[in-house]
Amino acid sequence: RYIGDWSSDVCSSDLQYLMPFDRTHDLTLTLYTFLPFGITASMTNFYQSGFPYTPLIFSGDKPVEDEINKNTRRSSDWYWANVAFSKNVEFNDLKVAFGLNIYNVFDNRNEVNIWPLTGTASDPGDYYTDEVGESVSSGYYDTPWYYQSPSEINFFMRRSEEHTSELQSPMY
């Protein structure tokens, strides 16, 4: 239970913390159906609890990482959904699939990275933004890469040929 010798005051459980990739909840739900005219439709929904991070605390007038409370806060939860439509068409021995995929269909801007002082991707905190307009450009803290990609629409066409020749068993 204790680190080092028996007289140590450091309990081993005090040294445990969540790993930065920990997602306590990770749920996926996929629904699909067949629509008229041979169209297949599906929707996949994703939910993940936020990732842990270590908050910044002030030591005097400067923010520093809280070494005692490592990974004790969580970012916002994630939710996104994808939708897909496809249709197969046959021409003699040729099969063609046409489709449409819409990724992040509701355009949720999930936070991929956050500012540890505020716990959000949009605001680094007053400590950093007080200098904006004076010694720092207003675009310096504009970080769109801190968010998941916006909605994306992809069209596709996939071709496959059917080979109708029968397999022959090898002669021994």
Side-chain angles (χ1 to χ4, degrees):
R1 178 171 159 93
Y2 289 92
I3 305 293
D5 61 16
W6 291 102
S7 63
S8 173
D9 291 342
V10 180
C11 179
S12 63
S13 63
D14 291 343
L15 300 175
Q16 296 177 2
Y17 56 88
L18 293 173
M19 299 310 298
F21 53 81
D22 177 70
R23 297 289 185 130
T24 306
H25 303 96
D26 189 345
L27 305 171
T28 303
L29 172 68
T30 300
L31 306 169
Y32 68 92
T33 188
F34 299 101
L35 300 176
F37 308 109
I39 297 173
T40 303
S42 69
M43 182 173 200
T44 304
N45 299 277
F46 302 92
Y47 169 82
Q48 289 182 342
S49 56
F51 55 85
Y53 71 94
T54 302
L56 293 182
I57 58 173
F58 280 90
S59 176
D61 63 343
K62 294 190 179 211
V64 295
E65 194 169 273
D66 187 354
E67 294 295 331
I68 296 171
N69 298 308
K70 192 167 178 83
N71 289 342
T72 55
R73 301 255 176 99
R74 285 196 177 269
S75 66
S76 301
D77 293 348
W78 283 28
Y79 170 75
W80 75 100
N82 301 333
V83 173
F85 299 96
S86 65
K87 174 159 178 68
N88 293 319
V89 179
E90 293 185 32
F91 303 103
N92 296 328
D93 287 347
L94 180 68
K95 283 186 177 179
V96 179
F98 297 97
L100 167 74
N101 294 320
I102 306 172
Y103 300 105
N104 194 9
V105 68
F106 299 119
D107 200 27
N108 288 350
R109 299 297 174 96
N110 298 308
E111 297 173 335
V112 175
N113 199 357
I114 51 117
W115 296 98
L117 187 59
T118 61
T120 67
S122 60
D123 180 22
D126 290 340
Y127 176 81
Y128 298 104
T129 58
D130 282 347
E131 307 259 336
V132 169
E134 295 172 17
S135 62
V136 177
S137 166
S138 62
Y140 185 75
Y141 295 110
D142 183 19
T143 53
W145 55 89
Y146 274 23
Y147 294 94
Q148 182 182 10
S149 298
S151 294
E152 181 179 317
I153 300 173
N154 292 328
F155 296 97
F156 70 86
M157 182 177 83
R158 183 173 39 241
R159 177 182 72 98
S160 65
E161 294 182 27
E162 272 190 24
H163 299 287
T164 57
S165 62
E166 293 182 24
L167 293 176
Q168 295 180 359
S169 57
M171 298 186 78
Y172 295 102

